[in-house]
């Protein structure tokens, strides 16, 4: 092997070592940046309130965070084109009914814009739906988005349910997509926030 060939091999090895070193440094830097970026995209605002009512109603804190993320993106003043309000997007009529169940006699629509009240009512309602559907999260989420009456109708429809207790097909595209979004957000919340706890 000539002197020139040896120099070429040494230079290639040197470049290779530089590339490997840069990659290792980038991985180290990004390992701190990526979780921060994900937490920016998937915030955990109102964590104490979410935790309080998740515990009170026997719910998963990450599921509640996922619902809020999908429903309102943590915007306390969110209002849907169907009239759902606040963080967990509760309609005024549903809020009034929940208020009666919780013993809130002076319920007013504006209360749904208050984070504490909205999260409390949303958690109570999700707990109610989970009990109603014997813990079936898919059915509870479908009812939260598409309505209890619709889910009950789908369960009786052979095109939607083979056994009358689970759904193989959801006729509302919005509700089907909603459940997928909640599942994705839930998995992200569980992954990025359970690590630090």
């Amino acid at each position: 092997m000539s002197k020139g060939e040896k120099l070429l091999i040494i230079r290639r090895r040197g470049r290779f070592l530089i590339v490997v070193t840069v990659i290792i440094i980038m991985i180290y830097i990004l390992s701190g940046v990526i979780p921060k970026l994900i937490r920016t995209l998937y915030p955990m605002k109102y964590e104490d309130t979410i935790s309080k009512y998740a515990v009170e109603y026997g719910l998963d804190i990450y599921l509640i965070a996922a619902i809020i993320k999908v429903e309102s993106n943590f915007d306390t003043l969110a209002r849907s084109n169907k009239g759902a309000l606040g963080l967990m997007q509760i309609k005024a009529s549903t809020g009034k009914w929940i208020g009666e169940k919780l013993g809130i006699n002076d319920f007013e629509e504006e209360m749904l814009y208050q984070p504490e009240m909205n999260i409390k009512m949303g958690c109570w309602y999700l707990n109610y739906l989970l009990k109603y559907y014997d813990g079936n999260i898919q059915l509870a989420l479908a009812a939260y988005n598409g309505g209890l009456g619709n889910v009950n109708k789908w369960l009786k429809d052979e095109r939607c349910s083979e056994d009358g207790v689970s759904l193989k097909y959801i006729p509302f595209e919005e509700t089907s997509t909603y459940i997928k979004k909640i599942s994705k957000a839930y998995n992200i919340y569980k992954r990025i926030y359970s690590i630090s706890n």
Side-chain angles (χ1 to χ4, degrees), residues 103-174:
I104 302 167
N105 299 322
D106 57 346
F107 174 78
E108 292 181 23
E109 184 177 301
E110 291 74 32
M111 293 172 137
L112 293 172
Y113 289 118
Q114 299 168 6
E116 176 106 10
M117 182 61 69
N118 191 285
I119 292 169
K120 178 178 183 171
M121 287 185 156
C123 287
W124 182 92
Y125 188 49
L126 184 62
N127 174 267
Y128 170 84
L129 293 171
L130 282 165
K131 285 179 182 175
Y132 185 89
Y133 290 114
D134 295 322
N136 186 314
I137 292 174
Q138 180 207 32
L139 296 180
L141 290 174
Y144 194 94
N145 178 264
L148 194 86
N150 286 319
V151 173
N152 290 340
K153 187 169 57 175
W154 300 335
L155 288 170
K156 293 174 186 171
D157 185 335
E158 291 178 0
R159 294 170 298 173
C160 301
S161 177
E162 294 173 344
D163 56 10
V165 294
S166 62
L167 294 172
K168 66 176 182 178
Y169 171 69
I170 297 172
F172 289 4
E173 182 62 34
E174 177 189 333

Side-chain angles (χ1 to χ4, degrees), residues 34 39 41 49 53-54 57 66 76 82 88-89 93 98 101 113 117 127 131 140 144 148 153 160 166 180 195:
I34 290 174
R39 284 174 183 243
L41 297 172
T49 305
Y53 292 112
Y57 294 110
T76 58
K82 294 180 182 176
M88 294 187 75
Q89 291 290 279
S93 58
I98 294 169
K101 298 291 184 185
Y113 289 118
M117 182 61 69
N127 174 267
K131 285 179 182 175
Y144 194 94
L148 194 86
K153 187 169 57 175
C160 301
S166 62
K180 289 173 190 165
I195 292 170

Side-chain angles (χ1 to χ4, degrees), residues 10-146:
I10 291 170
R11 283 184 187 158
R12 284 183 182 162
R13 285 182 184 165
R15 285 186 199 140
F16 176 76
L17 287 174
I18 290 170
V19 168
V20 169
T21 304
V22 168
I23 290 171
I24 291 170
I25 291 169
M26 290 302 294
I27 290 171
Y28 177 76
I29 290 169
L30 290 177
S31 68
V33 171
I34 290 174
K36 287 178 184 173
L37 177 62
I38 294 172
R39 284 174 183 243
T40 300
L41 297 172
Y42 289 84
M44 182 65 96
K45 297 177 184 177
Y46 310 105
E47 185 173 4
D48 291 343
T49 305
I50 291 170
S51 182
K52 174 182 173 182
Y53 292 112
V55 168
E56 185 173 331
Y57 294 110
L59 302 169
D60 186 322
I61 185 173
Y62 306 118
L63 179 60
I64 301 306
I67 290 170
I68 294 171
K69 168 68 179 165
V70 171
E71 288 285 0
S72 68
N73 200 24
F74 288 88
D75 178 1
T76 58
L77 301 177
R79 182 182 187 99
S80 77
N81 57 1
K82 294 180 182 176
L85 309 172
L87 292 171
M88 294 187 75
Q89 291 290 279
I90 300 168
K91 288 184 178 178
S93 58
T94 305
K96 185 174 190 232
W97 176 75
I98 294 169
E100 289 170 5
K101 298 291 184 185
L102 291 173
I104 302 167
N105 299 322
D106 57 346
F107 174 78
E108 292 181 23
E109 184 177 301
E110 291 74 32
M111 293 172 137
L112 293 172
Y113 289 118
Q114 299 168 6
E116 176 106 10
M117 182 61 69
N118 191 285
I119 292 169
K120 178 178 183 171
M121 287 185 156
C123 287
W124 182 92
Y125 188 49
L126 184 62
N127 174 267
Y128 170 84
L129 293 171
L130 282 165
K131 285 179 182 175
Y132 185 89
Y133 290 114
D134 295 322
N136 186 314
I137 292 174
Q138 180 207 32
L139 296 180
L141 290 174
Y144 194 94
N145 178 264

